[in-house]
Structures are given as C-alpha cells and as structure tokens.
Amino acid sequence: MLNGSGIKIFTGTSHPELAEIIARRIGLPLSKAEVVRSGIGETQVQIQESVREDDVYIINTGCGAVNTALMELCIMIHACKIASAKRITAVIPLFPYARQDKKDKSRAPITAKLVANMIQKAGCDHIITMDLHASQIQGFFDVPVDNLYYSLYAEPSAILYIRTHFDLNDVVIVSPDAGGAKRATSIADRLGVDFALFHKERKKANEVSRMVLVGHVKDKVAILVDDMADTCGTLCLASQHLSEAGATKVYAFVTHGILSGNALKAVEESTLEKLIVTNTLPQHENQAKCRKIEVLDIGKVLGEVIRRSHYGESVSKLFHEVPY
C-alpha cells in the first residue's frame, strides 16, 4: 500500500468502477475532480485539490464515447500540468484508436500516432496501457510507455484460472490469427501444453473470408487467446472450426471485451462455452445480456503497477506472480 505522500489518483468518466478498484488496491481514495459537459458538448474539468509537486495518475479508458474520453484525459492532464504536478501518468487500459496504427492504404491517417501526440502535448510524462493492438504504438511516444501485455503481466492470473478450471493434459492454446501467435505461445509454454493457430484471410476490416487451422485439437479443450473482441466474428468462426476439427469444448480469453454490434448475440449462439474478458472496459451490461461472458479483474495488476511506478520498483516482476 501507499502512504498517500506525494501521489494523487484521478479518474475520468469512462470507467470509474475500475478506478475505484485500483485505488482500493493501493489503499488510497480517489482524488477529487469535477468533469462536466457544457450545453454544446464541451468538456469542462476542475481539479478540486492541490497537485503541486505530486505524482499524478489519471485513469481513463477508450470506451463508450471514445472521443469524449480522450478529450477528458487530455484536458485533465493539461489541468494538472499547469497546476505544477511533478509527474503525470496516463493510465489507459484500452488505448483509443490503437487499430489505426499504420498507413495501410492511400490517404489513410495513422490516428494512433495523432492520439500519442495529443496526449504528450497535453503534458503527459508516462503512459500505462494494456495489450496494445500493435506494439509499434509504443514508438509513437517520446515518453516511457508500460504496455502491460495480458499474456505477460496478467498471464499469472490467466494461468491460475486455467490450472484451476482445466485438466492441462486436455488443453491446447489457440491463436485466432498469426499476429497473436506470440501471445498464445507464451501462455502455452508456461503451461506446458500444445499450441495451434489459424491462418486468416479478410475481405475487409472485421469480416473474415477464410480460416485455416494449423495444429491438432481433436479431443482437446481449445482455449482461444486474443487481445480484443469487437464484433466477435473471428472468435465465433474460429470456435466453429475448432468444434468441427474435433475439440471437445472451446473457450476464449480476451483482454479487451469491446463487444460491439451483434457481438453478444453471436457469442451466445456460438459453440463457445465461455468468453473470458478483463475489466479494461465496463462489462456489467454485457454480462447481464450474455450468460457466456465471464470477467477477470485486472484492477489489482494496474494498482500494483502504479505502486511500483511511484516507488521506482521493477514492473517486470509481475511477469511471474499474481499481485494479492
């Protein structure tokens, strides 16, 4: 726990529940800030306590009204900067616009780079985020970025869950695409189980035309691992292929449960036994609408990262232990 000396934790309006969990984990109350919107939709922020020479952490995630959450974050950073905060860290569990990380066609913007510039220009000194869609986004910043991979930092929690709920002799870890192979093999290696992956071809964004399974899943419990579930088209199609390939049951572990459009209906009607997501985004409504959604809490991990960051301790130690 922290003693409260020289540290302040603020939250925007995107995910105050997670901010409360983080604050409880490190034993401090959330600091007071008023965030309101004017009649024409402008965000107004009032920091209601002194932050002079403090180590400030501002928690806001990229969900709901993403543009509003991003502006809240930048304005809160700027407010603390001109109030003489010593260091300002943005805690962004889901980084907004992370999927727009490259110029993949003519005249396309690299919006993730633009967002990085906005946050830095606002006065941010340090970024804590979780499972960036593309690791190169860290290179868009000129300030330190702690990218907490679910498959690494939260992996002890995932491994604990898998060891508790499954017989490892029957488990195979599956990546739904080649890009997530590193994430999946990390968990497979630590569990000492087999690994498989899908080769995926897309017609366009969020629409898969063909998937080819590489590996053996017959008579196994297949566990899909990915960074985010948006429309869930890929996960549901992968689940169907795994069932057709002889998997006895199919589960999915995902860091960011965006679950947009008809995702909940697709998951409910799929061959997935469960879709296990973290609470980087609010999930209460999704759980109420879909019985297959289960949530793992990463507030303790983020709280421990903040504590270690404040005291200058190693964050990589969280590779191998669950913070209790």
Side-chain angles (χ1 to χ4, degrees):
M1 286 193 178
L2 297 172
N3 58 21
S5 175
I7 182 171
K8 297 288 172 66
I9 302 173
F10 294 95
T11 181
T13 62
S14 67
H15 199 352
E17 179 190 2
L18 177 60
E20 288 282 0
I21 294 170
I22 292 171
R24 284 200 303 270
R25 168 67 182 90
I26 59 181
L28 291 177
L30 288 173
S31 297
K32 296 177 182 178
E34 184 180 31
V35 181
V36 297
R37 259 163 289 289
S38 68
I40 60 172
E42 292 180 349
T43 298
Q44 298 174 340
V45 171
Q46 176 64 52
I47 305 297
Q48 297 181 323
E49 53 189 85
S50 174
V51 295
R52 185 177 295 274
E53 293 301 308
D54 282 334
D55 191 5
V56 173
Y57 294 83
I58 302 172
I59 303 165
N60 227 25
T61 195
C63 69
V66 176
N67 294 337
T68 299
L70 178 58
M71 283 306 299
E72 278 182 11
L73 178 65
C74 290
I75 294 169
M76 292 180 81
I77 291 170
H78 180 65
C80 291
K81 188 71 173 181
I82 62 177
S84 301
K86 184 176 182 179
R87 184 178 71 154
I88 301 170
T89 299
V91 182
I92 318 169
L94 173 58
F95 191 84
Y97 293 95
R99 285 177 284 183
Q100 298 184 38
D101 62 296
K102 58 185 178 292
K103 189 178 177 70
D104 55 357
K105 51 184 175 287
S106 298
R107 298 172 296 281
I110 307 176
T111 315
K113 170 63 174 173
L114 173 63
V115 170
N117 289 343
M118 289 172 60
I119 294 171
Q120 288 180 116
K121 288 293 185 181
C124 187
D125 302 300
H126 179 210
I127 306 292
I128 296 173
T129 188
M130 198 154 201
D131 220 343
L132 283 171
H133 185 67
S135 295
Q136 66 262 26
I137 293 174
Q138 295 172 89
F140 296 166
F141 288 91
D142 295 320
V143 298
V145 178
D146 283 323
N147 179 25
L148 313 180
Y149 282 100
Y150 177 62
S151 60
L152 296 178
Y153 286 87
E155 183 179 291
S157 300
I159 287 177
L160 181 63
Y161 184 97
I162 293 170
R163 288 188 186 279
T164 303
H165 292 79
F166 303 102
D167 180 351
L168 295 185
N169 294 321
D170 299 330
V171 167
V172 57
I173 304 297
V174 184
S175 173
D177 54 39
K182 182 178 179 181
R183 178 185 296 106
T185 54
S186 176
I187 290 181
D189 289 345
R190 294 199 184 188
L191 288 170
V193 300
D194 291 336
F195 162 75
L197 63 81
F198 281 96
H199 170 66
K200 184 170 62 177
E201 297 175 0
R202 288 187 183 274
K203 292 180 182 177
K204 56 184 179 180
N206 286 339
E207 186 176 335
V208 178
S209 60
R210 192 167 73 102
M211 298 183 77
V212 179
L213 178 63
V214 181
H216 301 285
V217 298
K218 186 174 176 58
D219 299 325
K220 294 280 190 177
V221 175
I223 301 177
L224 288 156
V225 179
D226 207 355
D227 64 329
M228 64 175 62
D230 189 353
T231 61
C232 290
T234 297
L235 283 179
C236 292
L237 186 57
S239 174
Q240 179 184 333
H241 282 303
L242 290 168
S243 297
E244 291 171 354
T248 56
K249 291 183 179 179
V250 184
Y251 294 79
F253 275 80
V254 174
T255 309
H256 307 299
I258 299 171
L259 304 176
S260 65
N262 293 321
L264 294 176
K265 181 181 178 182
V267 169
E268 191 69 45
E269 295 175 352
S270 73
T271 59
L272 283 171
E273 296 289 326
K274 281 185 180 180
L275 172 58
I276 301 155
V277 301
T278 74
N279 58 342
T280 56
L281 305 177
Q283 296 294 343
H284 282 307
E285 290 186 12
N286 293 332
Q287 282 186 291
K289 294 176 182 177
C290 180
R291 60 181 178 82
K292 292 186 178 182
I293 304 295
E294 184 171 340
V295 180
L296 289 182
D297 177 27
I298 49 83
K300 295 175 182 177
V301 173
L302 290 171
E304 181 64 9
V305 170
I306 288 174
R307 189 195 70 78
R308 289 174 179 271
S309 173
H310 178 64
Y311 285 120
E313 298 176 9
S314 171
V315 173
S316 63
K317 189 177 180 182
L318 296 179
F319 280 158
H320 308 292
E321 62 182 46
V322 179
Y324 289 106

